[in-house]
Amino acid sequence: MPKAPLIARTVRDLRAHVDAWHKAGHTVGLVPTMGALHEGHISLLKLAQARTTRTITSIFVNPTQFAPNEDFDKYPRTWDDDLAKLSAAQCDLVWAPTPPEMYPPGFATHVVPGGAAEGLETDYRPHFFRGVATVCCKLFTQTRADVAVFGEKDFQQLAVIQQMVRDLNLPISIVPGPTVREADGLAMSSRNRYLSPEHRAAAVTLHRVLQDIAAVVRAHDNMAAVARAEGKIEAATQAGMKTIIAAGFTKVDYLCVRDAETLKTFLAAHNRPARILVAAWLGQTRLIDNIGV
Ligand code: PAF
Protein backbone atom coordinates (compact mmCIF):
# COMPACT_ATOMS: atom_id res chain seq x y z
CA MET A 1 0.00 0.00 0.00
CA PRO A 2 1.48 3.43 -0.93
CA LYS A 3 2.05 5.59 2.14
CA ALA A 4 2.84 9.29 1.69
CA PRO A 5 6.19 10.03 3.33
CA LEU A 6 6.64 12.86 5.81
CA ILE A 7 8.28 15.90 4.20
CA ALA A 8 10.80 18.06 6.06
CA ARG A 9 12.08 21.33 4.62
CA THR A 10 13.97 22.71 7.60
CA VAL A 11 16.71 21.15 9.73
CA ARG A 12 14.52 21.86 12.76
CA ASP A 13 11.59 19.79 11.42
CA LEU A 14 13.88 17.04 10.21
CA ARG A 15 15.57 16.76 13.61
CA ALA A 16 12.21 16.65 15.43
CA HIS A 17 11.25 13.54 13.44
CA VAL A 18 14.63 11.85 13.67
CA ASP A 19 15.01 12.56 17.40
CA ALA A 20 11.58 11.01 18.03
CA TRP A 21 12.57 7.94 15.99
CA HIS A 22 15.85 7.53 17.84
CA LYS A 23 14.08 7.92 21.21
CA ALA A 24 11.67 5.18 20.15
CA GLY A 25 14.63 2.90 19.41
CA HIS A 26 14.56 3.12 15.61
CA THR A 27 17.63 3.07 13.37
CA VAL A 28 17.72 5.49 10.46
CA GLY A 29 18.84 4.91 6.89
CA LEU A 30 19.54 7.69 4.39
CA VAL A 31 19.53 7.66 0.59
CA PRO A 32 21.05 10.93 -0.68
CA THR A 33 19.68 11.93 -4.11
CA MET A 34 19.19 14.94 -6.34
CA GLY A 35 15.70 13.71 -7.29
CA ALA A 36 14.64 12.62 -10.81
CA LEU A 37 14.32 9.22 -9.18
CA HIS A 38 14.52 5.95 -11.09
CA GLU A 39 14.68 2.26 -10.20
CA GLY A 40 18.33 2.60 -9.24
CA HIS A 41 17.42 5.01 -6.43
CA ILE A 42 14.57 2.78 -5.28
CA SER A 43 16.97 -0.17 -5.10
CA LEU A 44 19.16 1.93 -2.75
CA LEU A 45 16.10 2.68 -0.62
CA LYS A 46 15.37 -1.06 -0.40
CA LEU A 47 18.93 -1.65 0.84
CA ALA A 48 18.43 1.07 3.49
CA GLN A 49 15.09 -0.47 4.49
CA ALA A 50 16.72 -3.88 4.89
CA ARG A 51 19.24 -2.43 7.37
CA THR A 52 17.25 0.14 9.32
CA THR A 53 13.73 0.64 10.66
CA ARG A 54 13.16 4.20 9.36
CA THR A 55 14.33 5.64 6.02
CA ILE A 56 14.98 9.11 4.68
CA THR A 57 15.48 10.02 1.04
CA SER A 58 17.05 13.44 0.57
CA ILE A 59 16.16 15.37 -2.57
CA PHE A 60 18.44 18.34 -3.10
CA VAL A 61 19.95 19.49 -6.39
CA ASN A 62 23.20 20.60 -4.85
CA PRO A 63 24.48 23.80 -6.52
CA THR A 64 28.01 23.48 -5.15
CA GLN A 65 28.78 20.35 -7.18
CA PHE A 66 27.99 22.02 -10.51
CA ALA A 67 30.41 24.33 -12.32
CA PRO A 68 28.84 27.45 -13.92
CA ASN A 69 28.95 25.82 -17.39
CA GLU A 70 27.25 22.59 -16.22
CA ASP A 71 23.63 21.46 -16.16
CA PHE A 72 22.41 22.78 -12.77
CA ASP A 73 19.56 24.82 -14.32
CA LYS A 74 18.36 22.09 -16.63
CA TYR A 75 18.86 19.22 -14.15
CA PRO A 76 15.47 17.40 -14.10
CA ARG A 77 13.23 18.40 -11.17
CA THR A 78 10.37 15.90 -10.97
CA TRP A 79 8.97 16.41 -7.46
CA ASP A 80 5.46 14.89 -7.94
CA ASP A 81 6.81 11.81 -9.68
CA ASP A 82 9.57 11.41 -7.07
CA LEU A 83 7.04 11.61 -4.27
CA ALA A 84 4.79 9.02 -5.93
CA LYS A 85 7.75 6.63 -6.27
CA LEU A 86 8.82 7.17 -2.65
CA SER A 87 5.23 6.63 -1.43
CA ALA A 88 4.97 3.38 -3.38
CA ALA A 89 8.34 2.28 -1.96
CA GLN A 90 7.28 3.16 1.63
CA CYS A 91 10.00 5.71 2.33
CA ASP A 92 9.28 7.30 5.73
CA LEU A 93 10.56 10.83 5.18
CA VAL A 94 11.73 13.08 2.35
CA TRP A 95 14.37 15.62 3.35
CA ALA A 96 14.00 18.45 0.82
CA PRO A 97 15.80 21.55 2.07
CA THR A 98 15.79 24.79 0.08
CA PRO A 99 19.22 26.07 -1.05
CA PRO A 100 19.32 28.75 1.72
CA GLU A 101 18.40 26.12 4.34
CA MET A 102 21.38 24.05 3.19
CA TYR A 103 23.72 27.01 2.58
CA PRO A 104 22.53 29.93 4.72
CA PRO A 105 23.97 33.41 4.02
CA GLY A 106 27.55 33.50 5.25
CA PHE A 107 28.13 29.76 4.74
CA ALA A 108 31.91 29.34 4.41
CA THR A 109 33.03 25.87 5.48
CA HIS A 110 33.78 23.11 2.96
CA VAL A 111 35.07 19.56 3.02
CA VAL A 112 37.95 19.23 0.54
CA PRO A 113 38.56 15.53 -0.08
CA GLY A 114 41.92 14.13 -1.23
CA GLY A 115 42.92 10.49 -1.78
CA ALA A 116 40.08 8.82 -3.66
CA ALA A 117 39.05 12.21 -5.05
CA GLU A 118 42.32 12.60 -6.99
CA GLY A 119 42.20 12.07 -10.76
CA LEU A 120 39.37 10.66 -12.91
CA GLU A 121 36.33 12.94 -12.31
CA THR A 122 38.49 15.59 -10.65
CA ASP A 123 40.59 15.95 -13.82
CA TYR A 124 37.44 17.04 -15.68
CA ARG A 125 35.24 18.44 -12.88
CA PRO A 126 37.69 19.90 -10.34
CA HIS A 127 34.89 21.50 -8.25
CA PHE A 128 32.79 18.33 -8.05
CA PHE A 129 33.95 16.33 -5.04
CA ARG A 130 34.31 19.36 -2.77
CA GLY A 131 30.61 20.05 -3.43
CA VAL A 132 29.60 16.41 -2.98
CA ALA A 133 31.66 15.85 0.19
CA THR A 134 30.41 19.07 1.76
CA VAL A 135 26.74 18.37 1.09
CA CYS A 136 27.01 14.71 2.13
CA CYS A 137 28.79 15.64 5.36
CA LYS A 138 25.93 18.06 6.05
CA LEU A 139 23.27 15.47 5.10
CA PHE A 140 24.85 13.02 7.54
CA THR A 141 24.92 15.47 10.43
CA GLN A 142 21.51 16.94 9.62
CA THR A 143 19.78 13.55 9.49
CA ARG A 144 21.95 11.80 12.12
CA ALA A 145 21.40 8.68 10.02
CA ASP A 146 23.02 5.42 11.13
CA VAL A 147 23.46 4.14 7.57
CA ALA A 148 23.70 5.84 4.17
CA VAL A 149 23.44 4.00 0.86
CA PHE A 150 25.35 5.16 -2.24
CA GLY A 151 25.19 3.63 -5.71
CA GLU A 152 28.26 2.00 -7.27
CA LYS A 153 27.26 3.69 -10.53
CA ASP A 154 29.18 6.73 -9.14
CA PHE A 155 32.06 4.54 -8.03
CA GLN A 156 34.58 7.30 -7.34
CA GLN A 157 31.94 9.28 -5.42
CA LEU A 158 31.29 6.20 -3.25
CA ALA A 159 35.05 5.88 -2.59
CA VAL A 160 35.30 9.60 -1.70
CA ILE A 161 32.41 9.31 0.76
CA GLN A 162 33.87 6.16 2.35
CA GLN A 163 37.21 7.94 2.75
CA MET A 164 35.57 11.05 4.25
CA VAL A 165 33.65 8.93 6.77
CA ARG A 166 36.87 7.09 7.75
CA ASP A 167 39.04 10.19 7.88
CA LEU A 168 36.58 12.34 9.86
CA ASN A 169 35.29 9.49 12.08
CA LEU A 170 31.73 10.29 11.05
CA PRO A 171 29.33 8.04 12.99
CA ILE A 172 27.61 6.50 9.98
CA SER A 173 28.02 3.26 7.97
CA ILE A 174 28.24 3.57 4.20
CA VAL A 175 26.58 0.78 2.23
CA PRO A 176 27.31 0.41 -1.52
CA GLY A 177 24.39 -0.41 -3.84
CA PRO A 178 24.94 -2.30 -7.13
CA THR A 179 24.30 -0.40 -10.36
CA VAL A 180 20.83 -1.00 -11.79
CA ARG A 181 20.78 -1.31 -15.59
CA GLU A 182 18.21 -1.06 -18.35
CA ALA A 183 17.44 -4.30 -20.23
CA ASP A 184 20.19 -3.54 -22.79
CA GLY A 185 22.81 -2.81 -20.12
CA LEU A 186 22.76 1.00 -19.96
CA ALA A 187 23.30 2.10 -16.35
CA MET A 188 20.25 3.93 -15.00
CA SER A 189 20.93 7.61 -14.48
CA SER A 190 18.79 10.72 -14.04
CA ARG A 191 20.76 12.22 -16.94
CA ASN A 192 19.64 9.47 -19.36
CA ARG A 193 16.46 11.47 -19.89
CA TYR A 194 18.54 14.09 -21.75
CA LEU A 195 19.29 11.52 -24.50
CA SER A 196 17.63 11.69 -27.94
CA PRO A 197 16.44 8.29 -29.29
CA GLU A 198 19.59 8.16 -31.45
CA HIS A 199 21.89 8.91 -28.51
CA ARG A 200 19.97 6.49 -26.28
CA ALA A 201 20.71 3.72 -28.80
CA ALA A 202 24.42 4.63 -28.85
CA ALA A 203 24.69 4.96 -25.05
CA VAL A 204 24.69 1.22 -24.46
CA THR A 205 28.14 1.05 -26.10
CA LEU A 206 29.70 2.15 -22.81
CA HIS A 207 28.58 -0.99 -21.00
CA ARG A 208 29.60 -3.23 -23.91
CA VAL A 209 33.09 -1.72 -24.00
CA LEU A 210 33.47 -2.12 -20.23
CA GLN A 211 32.52 -5.78 -20.57
CA ASP A 212 35.02 -6.30 -23.41
CA ILE A 213 37.85 -4.85 -21.32
CA ALA A 214 36.72 -6.85 -18.26
CA ALA A 215 37.05 -10.05 -20.30
CA VAL A 216 40.66 -9.15 -21.12
CA VAL A 217 41.47 -8.29 -17.49
CA ARG A 218 39.86 -11.54 -16.29
CA ALA A 219 41.87 -13.61 -18.74
CA HIS A 220 45.17 -12.38 -17.27
CA ASP A 221 45.57 -13.30 -13.63
CA ASN A 222 48.73 -15.25 -14.24
CA MET A 223 51.86 -13.64 -12.76
CA ALA A 224 54.13 -15.13 -15.45
CA ALA A 225 52.23 -13.26 -18.13
CA VAL A 226 52.09 -9.87 -16.40
CA ALA A 227 53.88 -7.78 -19.01
CA ARG A 228 51.81 -9.32 -21.77
CA ALA A 229 48.62 -8.83 -19.71
CA GLU A 230 49.30 -5.13 -19.25
CA GLY A 231 49.95 -4.72 -22.97
CA LYS A 232 46.70 -6.47 -23.76
CA ILE A 233 44.71 -4.40 -21.27
CA GLU A 234 46.18 -1.22 -22.77
CA ALA A 235 45.33 -2.44 -26.30
CA ALA A 236 41.75 -3.33 -25.21
CA THR A 237 41.37 0.13 -23.69
CA GLN A 238 42.57 1.84 -26.86
CA ALA A 239 40.19 -0.31 -28.94
CA GLY A 240 37.36 0.57 -26.52
CA MET A 241 37.98 4.31 -27.02
CA LYS A 242 37.70 3.83 -30.79
CA THR A 243 34.49 1.80 -30.42
CA ILE A 244 32.92 4.50 -28.24
CA ILE A 245 33.75 7.25 -30.74
CA ALA A 246 32.59 5.11 -33.68
CA ALA A 247 29.22 4.66 -31.90
CA GLY A 248 28.65 8.43 -32.06
CA PHE A 249 30.12 9.72 -28.78
CA THR A 250 31.80 13.08 -29.22
CA LYS A 251 34.53 12.76 -26.58
CA VAL A 252 35.89 10.23 -24.09
CA ASP A 253 37.08 11.94 -20.88
CA TYR A 254 38.54 8.69 -19.57
CA LEU A 255 38.36 4.95 -20.08
CA CYS A 256 40.73 3.11 -17.78
CA VAL A 257 41.36 0.14 -15.55
CA ARG A 258 42.14 1.06 -11.95
CA ASP A 259 42.81 -0.71 -8.66
CA ALA A 260 39.29 -1.09 -7.21
CA GLU A 261 40.32 0.00 -3.72
CA THR A 262 42.80 2.83 -4.29
CA LEU A 263 41.53 3.92 -7.73
CA LYS A 264 45.21 4.31 -8.65
CA THR A 265 46.99 2.54 -11.52
CA PHE A 266 46.00 -1.12 -11.85
CA LEU A 267 49.00 -3.45 -11.92
CA ALA A 268 48.19 -6.95 -13.15
CA ALA A 269 51.12 -8.23 -11.04
CA HIS A 270 49.41 -7.24 -7.80
CA ASN A 271 46.54 -9.60 -8.46
CA ARG A 272 43.96 -7.32 -6.80
CA PRO A 273 40.38 -6.44 -7.75
CA ALA A 274 40.15 -4.03 -10.67
CA ARG A 275 37.52 -1.46 -11.62
CA ILE A 276 37.04 -0.31 -15.19
CA LEU A 277 35.70 3.23 -15.39
CA VAL A 278 34.48 5.41 -18.23
CA ALA A 279 33.19 8.96 -18.72
CA ALA A 280 32.18 10.08 -22.21
CA TRP A 281 30.09 12.69 -23.97
CA LEU A 282 27.13 12.10 -26.28
CA GLY A 283 26.55 15.61 -27.60
CA GLN A 284 25.84 17.76 -24.53
CA THR A 285 25.28 14.79 -22.21
CA ARG A 286 28.10 13.35 -20.12
CA LEU A 287 27.60 9.71 -19.11
CA ILE A 288 29.67 7.72 -16.63
CA ASP A 289 29.73 3.99 -15.90
CA ASN A 290 32.00 1.36 -14.40
CA ILE A 291 32.20 -2.35 -13.66
CA GLY A 292 34.26 -4.47 -11.29
CA VAL A 293 36.52 -7.40 -12.16
O1 PAF B 1 24.90 11.14 -6.56
C1 PAF B 1 24.18 12.14 -6.36
O2 PAF B 1 23.01 12.17 -6.71
C2 PAF B 1 24.77 13.34 -5.65
O3 PAF B 1 26.10 13.51 -6.00
C3 PAF B 1 24.59 13.30 -4.12
C4 PAF B 1 25.33 12.13 -3.51
C5 PAF B 1 23.11 13.21 -3.77
C6 PAF B 1 25.14 14.59 -3.50
O4 PAF B 1 24.49 15.71 -3.97
Side-chain angles (χ1 to χ4, degrees):
M1 270 286 281
K3 178 179 134 265
L6 298 163
I7 297 170
R9 294 202 179 270
T10 63
V11 175
R12 196 188 158 101
D13 275 1
L14 171 70
R15 287 267 174 82
H17 293 299
V18 176
D19 288 351
W21 288 344
H22 276 146
K23 271 201 193 102
H26 288 292
T27 51
V28 178
L30 168 70
V31 180
T33 83
M34 298 204 297
L37 302 182
H38 49 70
E39 272 177 56
H41 295 112
I42 301 304
S43 75
L44 304 181
L45 180 62
K46 300 274 171 230
L47 288 175
Q49 286 169 333
R51 283 164 176 77
T52 58
T53 54
R54 289 290 180 270
T55 49
I56 302 174
T57 300
S58 62
I59 297 184
F60 181 66
V61 185
N62 175 34
T64 65
Q65 67 190 74
F66 292 81
N69 60 335
E70 292 183 345
D71 57 343
F72 175 74
D73 287 334
K74 80 164 188 178
Y75 197 85
R77 281 135 171 113
T78 56
W79 175 256
D80 291 341
D81 187 56
D82 291 350
L83 220 53
K85 288 188 171 122
L86 293 175
S87 300
Q90 315 252 321
C91 175
D92 295 295
L93 188 148
V94 180
W95 169 220
T98 57
E101 182 72 10
M102 186 61 86
Y103 300 116
F107 180 89
T109 305
H110 293 90
V111 179
V112 184
E118 286 160 15
L120 298 170
E121 286 299 292
T122 298
D123 289 343
Y124 298 89
R125 307 182 69 199
H127 55 283
F128 178 62
F129 285 124
R130 172 178 131 132
V132 168
T134 302
V135 82
C136 288
C137 191
K138 285 180 64 86
L139 290 170
F140 297 166
T141 55
Q142 289 165 342
T143 59
R144 296 183 181 140
D146 302 286
V147 166
V149 189
F150 285 82
E152 287 182 343
K153 153 82 171 35
D154 297 283
F155 195 76
Q156 191 181 11
Q157 170 174 278
L158 168 65
V160 168
I161 298 301
Q162 287 170 321
Q163 169 141 36
M164 175 180 78
V165 165
R166 269 196 316 274
D167 289 354
L168 301 183
N169 305 107
L170 299 178
I172 190 164
S173 301
I174 303 301
V175 172
T179 302
V180 178
R181 297 182 180 278
E182 304 287 355
D184 65 356
L186 176 66
M188 288 195 185
S189 162
S190 304
R191 288 186 167 103
N192 289 351
R193 60 186 83 199
Y194 296 154
L195 299 171
S196 65
E198 191 190 318
H199 281 165
R200 169 64 188 83
V204 67
T205 310
L206 291 188
H207 185 234
R208 295 204 181 125
V209 163
L210 291 175
Q211 284 179 310
D212 290 347
I213 300 173
V216 175
V217 175
R218 252 183 233 114
H220 293 282
D221 51 359
N222 171 354
M223 289 284 286
V226 162
R228 216 152 28 93
E230 279 169 5
K232 287 198 174 170
I233 292 170
E234 179 54 29
T237 308
Q238 292 304 326
M241 296 249 194
K242 287 193 187 133
T243 306
I244 291 171
I245 295 297
F249 281 76
T250 29
K251 184 171 175 272
V252 181
D253 280 350
Y254 56 81
L255 170 64
C256 55
V257 183
R258 292 289 174 95
D259 182 293
E261 271 164 40
T262 62
L263 290 185
K264 305 291 176 226
T265 309
F266 172 75
L267 297 172
H270 289 173
N271 212 10
R272 285 160 52 90
R275 202 88 195 173
I276 309 165
L277 305 105
V278 64
W281 289 86
L282 260 175
Q284 301 300 306
T285 306
R286 187 173 185 271
L287 298 179
I288 63 171
D289 197 357
N290 68 87
I291 57 174
V293 184

